[in-house]
Amino acid sequence: MIDYNPKDWFTFIFRVHRADTVRKLLPMIVAICMYSGLVAWLEADVWRLPDDSRVKNISMLHSLLGFVISLLLAFRSNSAYDRWWEGRKLWGSLVNNSRNLALKMNALLPEEDKESRQLYRAMIPNYAFALKNHLRGQFKAEEFVAAGGLEARHLNPNQHVPNQLASVLLRKAYTLQKQGVLTGEQLLSVNAELQSFTDICGACERILKTPIPFSYSVFLKKFIFFYVMTLPFGLAFSLGYYVILAVAFVFYVLASMELIAEEIENPFGIDANDLPIDGISQNIRKHVEEIL
């Protein structure tokens, strides 16, 4: 995720970053400029269309459709941002529940029970890292901290790794209750945090595996394409060869909105505008180790 000062807005105009849509769209912008120049040349020098040609009325159609396309892009952007913000809230909940579980275990576990303390000290952050990698379709053994005889090689990367770690945490809690270290009431007090890990994982998977409907995404791309491709025919009458710059700018604005929405609708990846879940996982490990 890009760190920036929202108050220093003037420098944004000249700042180029990895997620800048200009770089991604540059080949298409060049092609649109060439196409617009060709249309302007054909209308002015080849077809020699008069100023009262009906082709000029195409601009009226663009005026009507401009409102429609703005509504569609606004809905597309809002839908993508809702997914990004929901993902951030879910990871915020994971941070809070990880701290709460560590605080409760720190209060409930005897100081002399080093093994249990070490297991929770390692496995609570391990769950955050496992969830991060699970959402990215990865398995990184080097991020796993061994404890209680459990090492990364004991996990099956071909199965649901977060569920395997959640099972370790829950099984250990029930073992402590059977051994009399925890009472039934104390077990119930930590059960909410243990259960929340799986709830958060399921909610993140829902965002990941339920993209914007295919038909809607395809229709919007086609709409932008045909809108931009017909734009030079009407504007060339009034702008001449300046239509090249005008159409390129319109295409840049419309296509950039779609690109930004595509990037943030899956907030768990490694794009520049995705959630900083690597840093969040590191903070969970840091805070839990401080507590336990």
Side-chain angles (χ1 to χ4, degrees):
M1 187 175 177
I2 300 174
D3 242 351
Y4 69 98
N5 180 8
K7 297 181 180 179
D8 192 18
W9 62 271
F10 185 74
T11 58
F12 294 167
I13 301 173
F14 307 102
R15 181 179 178 183
V16 178
H17 52 84
R18 188 161 60 93
D20 201 328
T21 54
V22 174
R23 296 195 302 177
K24 297 179 181 179
L25 294 173
L26 187 58
M28 286 292 295
I29 291 175
V30 172
I32 290 293
C33 288
M34 296 173 62
Y35 169 76
S36 301
L38 176 63
V39 172
W41 174 72
L42 289 174
E43 288 189 356
D45 300 329
V46 179
W47 299 332
R48 299 182 184 279
L49 297 178
D51 289 340
D52 59 349
S53 173
R54 292 187 177 182
V55 178
K56 188 176 183 180
N57 295 329
I58 293 179
S59 297
M60 298 175 59
L61 180 63
H62 293 131
S63 299
L64 295 173
L65 293 178
F67 176 71
V68 177
I69 201 170
S70 64
L71 288 178
L72 290 174
L73 285 173
F75 174 76
R76 177 78 169 94
S77 299
N78 288 338
S79 299
Y81 182 76
D82 284 344
R83 296 161 61 87
W84 186 91
W85 183 240
E86 184 180 1
R88 182 61 187 91
K89 290 193 294 184
L90 289 169
W91 273 81
S93 298
L94 182 63
V95 171
N96 293 339
N97 291 329
S98 297
R99 291 171 179 169
N100 287 332
L101 181 58
L103 288 167
K104 289 181 179 181
M105 285 303 179
N106 182 55
L108 296 174
L109 293 175
E111 289 291 339
E112 60 272 11
D113 192 354
K114 301 295 184 181
E115 180 184 352
S116 298
R117 284 179 167 271
Q118 179 58 31
L119 185 137
Y120 280 100
R121 187 172 185 262
M123 293 305 157
I124 295 174
N126 281 346
Y127 185 89
F129 281 95
L131 178 58
K132 176 201 65 155
N133 294 323
H134 171 70
L135 295 173
R136 294 176 176 174
Q138 303 172 336
F139 178 77
K140 295 184 177 181
E142 64 273 14
E143 295 181 344
F144 186 87
V145 175
L150 181 64
E151 300 178 6
R153 60 186 177 87
H154 296 134
L155 299 174
N156 186 349
N158 297 318
Q159 295 180 359
H160 199 286
V161 177
N163 278 353
Q164 297 177 53
L165 293 178
S167 178
V168 170
L169 291 169
L170 189 60
R171 190 163 53 242
K172 181 62 177 179
Y174 278 100
T175 300
L176 291 171
Q177 192 268 335
K178 291 178 181 178
Q179 293 173 348
V181 178
L182 298 180
T183 65
E185 292 78 7
Q186 291 171 338
L187 180 61
L188 286 175
S189 72
V190 300
N191 185 65
E193 283 75 20
L194 292 169
Q195 182 178 337
S196 70
F197 287 174
T198 304
D199 293 339
I200 291 170
C201 178
C204 290
E205 289 174 338
R206 170 172 50 80
I207 296 174
L208 179 67
K209 297 180 180 180
T210 313
I212 299 295
F214 176 76
S215 298
Y216 181 86
S217 182
V218 169
F219 171 74
L220 186 55
K221 287 179 173 62
K222 289 181 178 178
F223 195 172
I224 293 174
F225 175 78
F226 287 111
Y227 183 87
V228 172
M229 295 301 285
T230 57
L231 201 57
F233 288 95
L235 292 181
F237 283 94
S238 55
L239 297 179
Y241 284 101
Y242 287 108
V243 73
I244 297 173
L245 297 177
V247 175
F249 179 72
V250 171
F251 172 75
Y252 165 70
V253 172
L254 298 180
S256 293
M257 292 292 292
E258 173 65 11
L259 278 181
I260 293 170
E262 285 180 353
E263 183 175 332
I264 67 173
E265 71 178 357
N266 174 18
F268 308 119
I270 57 174
D271 293 326
N273 289 308
D274 286 335
L275 294 173
I277 54 179
D278 290 281
I280 294 174
S281 300
Q282 290 287 357
N283 283 334
I284 290 175
R285 172 160 288 164
K286 174 185 176 182
H287 298 154
V288 170
E289 288 178 352
E290 288 175 354
I291 294 170
L292 286 170

